[in-house]
Amino acid sequence: SALRVSDGTVLWRASGRMRGESSVSTPGLHDGLLHATVGFGVRYALNADTGKLVWSAKRSRNPYDYSYSSPLFYNDNMYYTKSRSIVEADPATGKALREVKTGYHFVSASAPVEKDGVLYVGTGDKGVVAYDITSLQQKWVYQTHPSLFYTAPYLQNQTAGVASTPTIVGDKIFFGANDGKLYCLGTEEGEYLWSRNLGSPVLGDVLIERDDMYVSDYAGNLYRFDISSVLKIQHSPQGVNVSRNRFED
């Protein structure tokens, strides 16, 4: 549905129902089209002014070919995660232009974000991963601790899930994880800078306003952190071991 912000009046309700399982993704707006998805990989686009269906992708024959990802728009193309792949598509038609298989399960509400030509996204099983958005080749991965509980379906125990969408400020990336921690990494090599253990999964996104960071956890707590000192950290990726499964204190 579309509502008028000033008074909540319903402007339209989508007439073409996309049947399928529920999805945790947030719709994305691009060039007059509202892009969304239902569970198990059925993506579609509506006319943002009328709610009329413009295109929809076909349901995959593979029952585990899912896509929960909100879309990222970059240089007139659309990027999203799907099962174990990163997909580049034409937002006007939904046609896939490239699909790169990865070693990660993207059963996560984490949406891809871009900064300086690099795509960052959380996974359902191995923390956060970064890709060169031009080549879609992996730059680094940072694996968080095992999840306190599991939000990613169909995966075995000991997954390290990140449902939070990364927030990037300068050369630093902030996110919450299912292991109950807040993290701050360097964007260049994914080097560890700072973390705070809250003791409960952080599934929502981190909000940063100037020197303050706001975050909520699954236990129902709302936090405000002063991160002015973290933002001033001068760091160098030289000598960082990027092929790691690190569990810093």
Side-chain angles (χ1 to χ4, degrees):
S1 303
L3 309 179
R4 182 183 293 123
V5 173
S6 60
D7 59 11
T9 299
V10 177
L11 302 177
W12 55 254
R13 294 186 187 277
S15 56
R17 182 180 177 188
M18 297 294 98
R19 296 183 180 275
E21 290 70 27
S22 61
S23 173
V24 295
S25 66
T26 300
L29 185 63
H30 179 75
D31 284 349
L33 295 183
L34 189 67
H35 297 263
T37 182
V38 294
F40 293 92
V42 183
R43 308 193 72 88
Y44 61 95
L46 306 176
N47 183 301
D49 293 326
T50 66
K52 182 179 179 179
L53 181 66
V54 176
W55 60 256
S56 65
K58 294 182 179 180
R59 179 180 288 274
S60 172
R61 294 181 179 180
N62 180 356
Y64 298 105
D65 194 11
Y66 39 73
S67 179
Y68 299 122
S69 171
S70 302
L72 164 69
F73 302 101
Y74 177 79
N75 284 351
D76 294 325
N77 286 333
M78 177 172 64
Y79 297 82
Y80 58 89
T81 56
K82 171 185 173 182
S83 298
R84 304 189 71 169
S85 302
I86 300 284
V87 180
E88 178 186 30
D90 180 357
T93 65
K95 180 180 178 181
L97 304 175
R98 282 189 297 170
E99 181 174 345
V100 176
K101 299 290 184 181
T102 75
Y104 310 104
H105 289 278
F106 292 108
V107 231
S108 171
S110 183
V113 296
E114 180 273 337
K115 178 70 182 297
D116 297 332
V118 180
L119 182 153
Y120 305 89
V121 65
T123 72
D125 60 338
K126 291 184 174 66
V128 170
V129 63
Y131 294 91
D132 181 284
I133 203 167
T134 301
S135 65
L136 293 184
Q137 295 300 303
Q138 180 179 309
K139 289 177 62 68
W140 54 260
V141 60
Y142 183 91
Q143 184 164 328
T144 53
H145 292 237
S147 301
L148 296 178
F149 65 70
Y150 305 104
T151 58
Y154 313 117
L155 299 185
Q156 296 178 352
N157 291 345
Q158 299 305 309
T159 59
V162 172
S164 173
T165 295
T167 298
I168 300 174
V169 179
D171 59 355
K172 298 171 181 64
I173 177 171
F174 297 84
F175 62 92
N178 287 25
D179 63 6
K181 284 189 173 185
L182 290 172
Y183 288 92
C184 174
L185 310 178
T187 55
E188 182 64 26
E189 296 285 353
E191 60 272 26
Y192 174 91
L193 299 179
W194 173 87
S195 68
R196 178 69 177 268
N197 190 357
L198 302 184
S200 181
V202 180
L203 307 181
D205 302 343
V206 172
L207 172 64
I208 294 180
E209 180 69 21
R210 298 182 181 175
D211 289 342
D212 293 323
M213 178 171 66
Y214 301 88
V215 68
S216 59
D217 66 15
Y218 195 74
N221 300 304
L222 178 63
Y223 297 90
R224 172 178 172 234
F225 295 97
D226 177 356
I227 57 169
S228 56
S229 59
V230 176
L231 294 176
K232 294 175 183 177
I233 292 176
Q234 299 294 319
H235 59 93
S236 171
Q238 300 299 321
V240 171
N241 176 15
V242 296
S243 58
R244 73 281 191 189
N245 178 357
R246 299 177 302 166
F247 298 99
E248 288 87 353
D249 293 330

